[in-house]
Amino acid sequence: MSTTPSKTPQAIRGTQDIFGTDAEAFAHVVETFERIRRLYRFRRVEMPVFEKTEVFSRSIGETTDVVSKEMYSFEDRGGESLTLRPEFTAGLARAYLTDGWKQFAPLKVATHGPLFRYERPQKGRYRQFHQIDAELIGSPEPLADVELLVMADHLLKDLGISDGVTLQLNTLGDVASRDAWRAALIDYFRGHKAELSEDSQDRLERNPLRILDSKDPRDKVFVGDAPKIDAFLSAEAQDFFAAVTAGLDAAGVAYERAPSLVRGLDYYRHTAFEFVTTRLGAQGTVLGGGRYDGLMESLGGPATPAVGWAAGIERLAMLVADAGTLTEAPLTVVLAVEDDAALNYAQKVVTALRFQGLDAEMVATGSARKRFDKAVKMGAKVLVSFGVQDGVPTANLRAAEPTAEYLAVEQVLQSVHP
């Protein structure tokens, strides 16, 4: 009977295993986000990894690339269509309508975790990727937009990656402003339809705003002369955007106006924004979001104002790593067990040290004669060697000088006995 050598399974294309310094940068992003969201009093929520497909098809839009090309959808055993979440906002909106969260409005929530989209993998983007997300639901005030933007700016600064990152800001106006602008764009682009890209020709009648965001050189020729939203803003929409920019000025958050920054879906209103950089190649968005006052209605709920943003953790982690601001902290304590008879005593000590908040490693395997040398090479701030004297386990504390760490270890040793 012949046997065929087994082949080691490979990772799925477009997924990643995160380890070492990459994993530390990833964790640093999440930990910083968690600290910042607490400062701004955003409640932590956990969301399902999959939802009913209609949650995304109704909220993101049947005609978008995400729904038509990128979603991972499947039928479960009961024949119901389910989808791995491609973003957080739709699920959060569904929960707001179905889980009684309306009683907490205005509700500030934050979450993070994996998302799934079938798309071409590229630098910083994978088919399974991770995002942090913050939403403020139930507030129609421009102050809500300001708070989220200040929070995002604060996060990037605390991560040490704000240099070279620019906040691009635009307004989409209220419903009347947007509808008037949309009609003007359709009329303008109809005059150039034959010269537009195939995608933009298809979008012209259904979603002309997306032509403004096209990366195709054939479209960019005409985008510069396209009608601008400012010509169609109502007085109320002008006042709203002025309040947002005034709030950013007061908070010291720098921004630049980006008239071509749009959101194609009809439920977006007023503020749209992206933090962008040139340090990530063609895909330069670091964090993006906007106000989506019409989303709840698209899901069958009442009109509910809301604004939010999301950012890819992998991209933020890449910027953190490139900035070189994240370094591994040196080991605080290493314990060298030079006699196995002292192992249990050393185990008591290392456990006590960790409970006191001191990181510690124990060298207790391999040749007993080489353990001390191995411990020295680990470069800890404090070294404790364990042996046996007159049949009693002993601990010898070694350090160049009585630092704060030395004194903390000394205190633990005084409280733990063989």
Side-chain angles (χ1 to χ4, degrees):
M1 180 177 178
S2 62
T3 59
T4 302
S6 61
K7 185 178 180 181
T8 302
Q10 301 296 305
I12 298 172
R13 184 172 181 264
T15 63
Q16 58 173 336
D17 304 307
I18 307 174
F19 175 75
T21 56
D22 292 337
E24 292 298 330
F26 188 103
H28 178 63
V29 170
V30 173
E31 290 163 4
T32 304
F33 173 67
E34 283 292 314
R35 178 173 54 79
I36 295 295
R37 67 99 182 160
R38 291 189 185 97
L39 289 176
Y40 288 74
R41 302 292 291 177
F42 276 67
R43 299 186 182 199
R44 170 77 185 176
V45 293
E46 296 290 345
M47 304 303 298
V49 171
F50 58 85
E51 298 264 6
K52 293 181 179 179
T53 299
E54 65 175 350
V55 170
F56 303 113
S57 61
R58 290 174 65 180
S59 62
I60 301 176
E62 294 279 7
T63 60
T64 64
D65 288 345
V66 171
V67 171
S68 63
K69 301 177 183 179
E70 298 174 2
M71 292 201 317
Y72 282 97
S73 300
F74 59 95
E75 284 192 2
D76 68 1
R77 293 181 180 180
E80 186 170 35
S81 180
L82 304 177
T83 295
L84 296 176
R85 62 190 184 199
E87 50 108 70
F88 280 115
T89 305
L92 287 165
R94 188 269 311 152
Y96 183 84
L97 295 173
T98 61
D99 292 354
W101 293 2
K102 294 189 290 291
Q103 64 182 304
F104 303 109
L107 175 67
K108 301 196 292 187
V109 292
T111 190
H112 61 79
L115 304 173
F116 306 85
R117 292 186 187 179
Y118 187 88
E119 58 184 343
R120 182 173 59 87
Q122 53 188 291
K123 183 178 181 181
R125 187 176 291 281
Y126 302 88
R127 291 175 179 174
Q128 177 180 323
F129 57 102
H130 302 78
Q131 282 187 349
I132 52 177
D133 185 280
E135 314 282 342
L136 207 165
I137 305 173
S139 174
E141 305 298 331
L143 189 61
D145 306 48
V146 173
E147 178 162 14
L148 274 166
L149 283 162
V150 174
M151 178 185 180
D153 183 72
H154 191 165
L155 172 69
L156 298 179
K157 286 176 178 174
D158 272 23
L159 286 172
I161 58 175
S162 60
D163 288 347
V165 175
T166 302
L167 168 57
Q168 295 187 342
L169 189 69
N170 198 20
T171 176
L172 306 177
D174 51 20
V175 176
S177 306
R178 184 187 174 104
D179 287 348
W181 184 34
R182 184 179 187 277
L185 287 171
I186 291 176
D187 185 60
Y188 169 77
F189 283 119
R190 275 177 180 165
H192 306 284
K193 183 174 181 178
E195 299 162 277
L196 296 175
S197 67
E198 291 76 12
D199 283 343
S200 289
Q201 289 183 35
D202 181 56
R203 292 165 175 162
L204 176 54
E205 303 295 334
R206 294 183 293 102
N207 207 341
L209 271 68
R210 294 195 65 199
I211 300 176
L212 300 177
D213 200 32
S214 172
K215 304 298 188 291
D216 194 301
R218 290 172 290 178
D219 300 326
K220 287 186 175 183
V221 173
F222 305 104
V223 167
D225 293 328
K228 304 293 190 293
I229 180 63
D230 288 13
F232 304 92
L233 290 177
S234 66
E236 292 79 8
Q238 291 180 46
D239 290 344
F240 191 100
F241 191 55
V244 172
T245 56
L248 293 176
D249 290 339
V253 176
Y255 61 89
E256 65 178 32
R257 184 71 188 278
S260 62
L261 176 59
V262 296
R263 297 287 182 264
L265 299 172
D266 288 340
Y267 56 72
Y268 279 99
R269 312 274 193 272
H270 295 296
T271 317
F273 56 88
E274 290 182 355
F275 288 80
V276 301
T277 182
T278 58
R279 303 206 301 269
L280 290 173
Q283 294 291 330
T285 301
V286 175
L287 181 152
R291 177 166 283 276
Y292 51 93
D293 289 355
L295 175 58
M296 299 295 179
E297 290 178 89
S298 73
L299 291 174
T304 306
V307 59
W309 57 252
I313 298 176
E314 284 87 349
R315 290 188 173 194
L316 293 173
M318 287 169 61
L319 291 173
V320 168
D322 289 346
T325 57
L326 186 63
T327 57
E328 187 175 357
L331 176 62
T332 301
V333 191
V334 62
L335 292 73
V337 183
E338 298 185 89
D339 190 319
D340 287 343
L343 178 59
N344 289 339
Y345 179 32
Q347 184 63 64
K348 288 182 182 181
V349 172
V350 74
T351 302
L353 289 169
R354 289 166 175 166
F355 269 91
Q356 289 297 314
L358 297 165
D359 59 286
E361 289 278 13
M362 185 167 67
V363 180
T365 58
S367 170
R369 291 180 300 171
K370 296 180 180 180
R371 292 175 190 173
F372 183 84
D373 291 339
K374 183 177 180 181
V376 170
K377 291 178 182 178
M378 294 175 73
K381 295 179 181 178
V382 182
L383 189 153
V384 186
S385 62
F386 290 82
V388 174
Q389 187 173 353
D390 298 329
V392 179
T394 60
N396 295 307
L397 184 57
R398 303 168 186 246
E401 55 186 25
T403 61
E405 292 87 359
Y406 178 98
L407 296 174
V409 174
E410 185 178 50
Q411 187 173 17
V412 169
L413 288 173
Q414 290 171 356
S415 65
V416 179
H417 305 287

